[in-house]
């Protein structure tokens, strides 16, 4: 044995050991698996940074991959004319930070009050450079883990039974470096210009590259293809220097104030509508671009003709018939100096392997990835799409494609992931049933997520056994209501309420006159006919099934409920009127739960205890636990002055001083407005 060891570590063995060491040092063996992260986020735009913030606060293992040297690279170039259409309302007259976010469309969610966009621009419609600066500070101040100058060139799957979702996502960057991820969060936005293929489409300049200097358009005839905000933004920039601008699209213009969709044409960009309707040479036309063709003449001018004329002319410019040859009043018979394409953006599917099944045939096959109501890919478990790219869930319905909307959908996705992978249940608060009315009213009057993501995110109230308490969950995606227990880790066994914000059924659309006379509804009995955004409360005895959600009535955001209540619209969006808002809501809740949600003074609870078999919940949860409402001097004096109460103050004080029952402050059994809770009434309890 000793001889063997000696031979091994003798001169030849020593040389072999040294040789192996040098070989491994100079040429190390490649790792069998790439660097691993639990969460990989593609893109350091607003949605990517928002998710990074939530992951970091939760202490999760994550990395954000960004191809540019800094965050928010989209905003370094777009919008081309630099003015954002997301409002920056710095003053509301309110100190409530949650309420103020309703009117702050640029801030991301964080715990740092310095990271509110109001500190970055005084402009109501800010400059895009302010957004770049804001996102840079957001990432830096919060210390988010972003890998800049890293372009992910390819994404594929690697099957593994040990992985969270049965597979890993393998990301490969521009240098060939691979990364392994358990969950992939895609926040790359829409970055590919939408192209329509028709004869002569190559002559159109793209929104992404056309000059933004008005001097380049002086005295020119301009045709703009498209009718969204980018098209009108481009027209607005050159409106004062061109001979005229014609705008062509296959559909009529959609005004955001009529559709109540912030992605449609905003008033800040619609100057061309004035010049069109007031007959100042500019105009709008409707036609399907695929039926047309652009012909360039020998002078470099562009003519619009029909596609079948182009085909008949064998594609030779001098042989192609123009529509005005047959109809001398053809609307587009003039020649154009410039044709500009402003047709929006599509998602970049090119980096994703087909095994991920992100795309499909259908309405959004080119524009958006295929996702569920939970923002998870339909083709790959564990792949979620965030931000603008997830807008197929609420396209032209709500604000999910914009910062003030998707900051809340990103939070919802994070809450889903926390429960799925870390057993952290969806955040909730539990309260006695007597606080149900006030809890709902607080949220509908303050919450920004409900307000901005109307009909997409809703609050859910889970009723406890015997309706003695409830659990309140905020901003749950309505399209996956049937999966609530699985997604949240909460139980819905004794009924539930869903609090949603909605516009009237027939109040939104490009053809709607939203300024019609008597458009406002003010009477509580007509609340169900409310037109403007207002709270709607759905009550279900049982959690709806997948089939209930799938086959819900047309244009309903939720399945048909057991009962439904509309809180009448309010001009001030302030649902605090005692008679118009609070009383009808409380009675609806009481009818659903078959209970009394009023608050009572101690003497009323005392009388109920002597005369009723079942006490109201307020008395059960307060008075019998040695707590109750107490009258104040101002309340007593008010009732004396109104004639509803005789002045027995002296007698009351005498009884209180002698340790007898507290002073009488109103008719027995009459509910009072909520007042401060007193400490346990030990003397009264002992007397009882």
């Amino acid at each position: 044995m000793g001889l063997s060891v000696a031979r091994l570590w003798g001169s030849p063995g020593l040389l072999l050991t040294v040789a192996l060491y040098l070989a491994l040092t100079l040429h190390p063996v490649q790792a069998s698996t790439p660097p691993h992260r639990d969460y990989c986020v593609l893109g350091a735009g607003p949605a990517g940074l928002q998710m990074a913030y939530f992951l970091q606060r939760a202490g999760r293992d994550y990395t954000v991959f960004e191809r540019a040297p800094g965050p928010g690279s989209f905003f370094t170039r777009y919008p081309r004319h630099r003015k954002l259409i997301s409002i920056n309302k710095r003053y509301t007259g309110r100190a409530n930070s949650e309420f103020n976010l309703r009117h702050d469309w640029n801030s991301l969610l964080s715990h740092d009050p310095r990271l509110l966009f109001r500190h970055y621009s005084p402009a109501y419609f800010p400059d895009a450079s302010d957004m770049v600066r804001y996102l840079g500070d957001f990432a830096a101040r919060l210390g988010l883990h972003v890998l800049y100058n890293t372009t992910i060139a390819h994404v594929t799957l690697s099957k593994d039974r040990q992985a969270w979702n049965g597979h890993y996502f393998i990301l490969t960057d521009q240098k060939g470096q691979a990364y392994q991820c358990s969950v992939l969060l895609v926040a790359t936005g829409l970055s590919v210009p939408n192209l329509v293929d028709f004869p002569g489409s190559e002559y159109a300049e793209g929104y992404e590259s056309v000059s933004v200097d008005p001097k380049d358009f002086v005295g020119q005839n301009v045709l703009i293809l498209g009718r969204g905000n980018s098209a009108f933004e481009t027209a607005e920039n050159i409106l004062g220097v061109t001979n005229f601008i014609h705008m062509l699209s296959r559909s009529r213009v959609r005004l955001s104030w009529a559709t109540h969709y912030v992605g449609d044409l905003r008033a800040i960009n619609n100057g061309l509508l004035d010049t069109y309707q007031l007959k100042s040479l500019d105009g709008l036309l409707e036609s399907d671009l695929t039926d047309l063709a652009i012909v360039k003449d020998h002078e470099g001018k562009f003519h619009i003709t029909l596609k079948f004329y182009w085909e008949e002319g064998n594609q030779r410019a001098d042989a192609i018939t123009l529509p005005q040859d047959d109809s001398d009043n053809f609307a587009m018979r003039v020649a154009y100096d410039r044709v500009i394409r402003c047709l929006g953006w599509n998602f970049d599917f090119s980096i994703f392997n087909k095994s991920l099944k992100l795309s499909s045939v259908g309405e959004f096959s080119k524009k958006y990835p295929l996702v569920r109501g939970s923002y998870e890919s339909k083709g790959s478990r564990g792949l979620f799409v965030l931000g603008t790219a997830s807008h197929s869930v609420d396209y032209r319905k709500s604000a999910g494609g914009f910062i003030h909307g998707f900051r809340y959908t990103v939070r919802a996705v994070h809450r889903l992931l926390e429960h799925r992978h870390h057993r952290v249940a969806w955040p909730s608060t539990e309260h006695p049933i007597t606080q149900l009315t006030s809890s709902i009213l607080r949220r509908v009057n303050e919450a920004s997520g409900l307000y901005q993501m109307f009909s997409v995110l809703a609050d859910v109230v889970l009723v406890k056994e015997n309706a003695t308490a409830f659990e309140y969950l905020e901003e749950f995606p309505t399209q996956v209501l049937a999966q609530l227990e699985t997604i949240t880790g909460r139980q819905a066994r004794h009924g539930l309420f869903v609090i949603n914000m909605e516009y009237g059924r027939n109040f939104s659309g490009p053809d709607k006159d939203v300024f019609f006379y008597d458009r406002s509804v003010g009477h509580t009995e007509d609340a169900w006919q409310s037109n403007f955004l207002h709270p709607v409360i759905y009550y279900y005895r049982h959690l709806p099934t997948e089939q209930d959600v799938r086959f819900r009535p047309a244009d309903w955001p939720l399945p048909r409920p057991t009962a439904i209540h509309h809180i009448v619209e309010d001009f001030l969006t302030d649902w605090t009127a005692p008679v118009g808002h609070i009383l009808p809501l409380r009675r609806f809740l009481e009818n659903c739960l078959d209970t009394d949600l009023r608050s009572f003074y101690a003497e009323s609870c005392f009388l109920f205890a002597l005369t009723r078999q079942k006490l109201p919940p307020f008395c059960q949860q307060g008075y019998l636990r040695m707590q109750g409402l107490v009258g104040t001097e101002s309340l007593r004096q008010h009732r004396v002055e109104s004639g509803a109460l005789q002045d027995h103050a002296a007698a009351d004080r005498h009884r209180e001083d002698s340790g007898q029952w507290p002073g009488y402050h109103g008719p027995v059994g009459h509910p009072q407005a909520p007042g401060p809770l007193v400490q346990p009434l030990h003397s009264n309890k002992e007397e009882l």
Side-chain angles (χ1 to χ4, degrees), residues 506-528:
N506 299 306
F507 193 53
S508 302
D511 58 341
K512 300 295 183 182
D513 175 16
V514 294
F515 298 104
F516 68 90
Y517 192 71
D518 285 340
R519 59 189 175 274
S520 179
V521 175
H523 299 292
T524 55
E525 60 268 24
D526 299 322
W528 64 279

Side-chain angles (χ1 to χ4, degrees), residues 427-504:
S428 70
T429 54
E430 188 168 332
H431 308 275
I433 200 68
T434 51
Q435 296 180 20
L436 179 57
T437 306
S438 59
S439 295
I440 293 175
L441 287 170
R442 180 182 63 82
R443 288 287 295 169
V444 300
N445 281 293
E446 297 178 0
S448 178
L450 284 182
Y451 195 81
Q452 298 297 359
M453 289 305 297
F454 57 88
S455 298
V456 177
L457 297 181
D459 285 0
V460 179
V461 171
L462 304 177
V463 181
K464 296 296 185 178
E465 188 175 4
N466 298 323
T468 57
F470 66 91
E471 201 170 7
Y472 203 106
L473 283 66
E474 298 177 0
E475 297 160 19
F476 185 81
T478 59
Q479 292 188 27
V480 291
L481 181 61
Q483 304 168 41
L484 181 138
E485 293 185 334
T486 302
I487 291 175
T488 66
R490 307 291 179 182
Q491 299 296 317
R493 296 179 178 175
H494 306 288
L496 65 153
F497 294 93
V498 180
I499 296 89
N500 196 29
M501 300 291 286
E502 300 177 17
Y503 279 97

Side-chain angles (χ1 to χ4, degrees), residues 45 156 167 174 238 248 258 291 353 371 387 397 434 499 586 594 645 665 668 673:
T156 190
H167 53 248
Q174 77 275 25
I238 60 177
L248 179 66
D291 294 333
N353 188 278
V371 297
K397 295 177 182 177
T434 51
I499 296 89
R586 196 201 76 212
D594 190 26
L645 178 70
H665 297 297
V668 172

Side-chain angles (χ1 to χ4, degrees), residues 242-263:
T242 56
N243 294 335
F244 57 79
I245 301 172
H246 289 168
M247 194 172 286
L248 179 66
S249 180
R250 67 179 178 179
S251 58
R252 60 173 292 170
V253 65
R254 298 173 59 92
L255 304 171
S256 61
W257 64 67
T259 62
H260 302 113
Y261 171 61
V262 297

Side-chain angles (χ1 to χ4, degrees), residues 369-409:
L370 188 62
V371 297
R372 306 179 187 277
S374 60
Y375 303 94
E376 187 170 18
S377 166
K378 289 186 177 181
S380 299
R381 180 177 170 84
L383 191 160
F384 290 82
V385 180
L386 311 176
T388 302
S390 69
H391 197 26
S392 61
V393 173
D394 64 308
Y395 183 61
R396 285 185 169 166
K397 295 177 182 177
S398 197
F402 310 90
I403 292 175
H404 62 291
F406 66 61
R407 59 192 179 195
Y408 301 107
T409 61

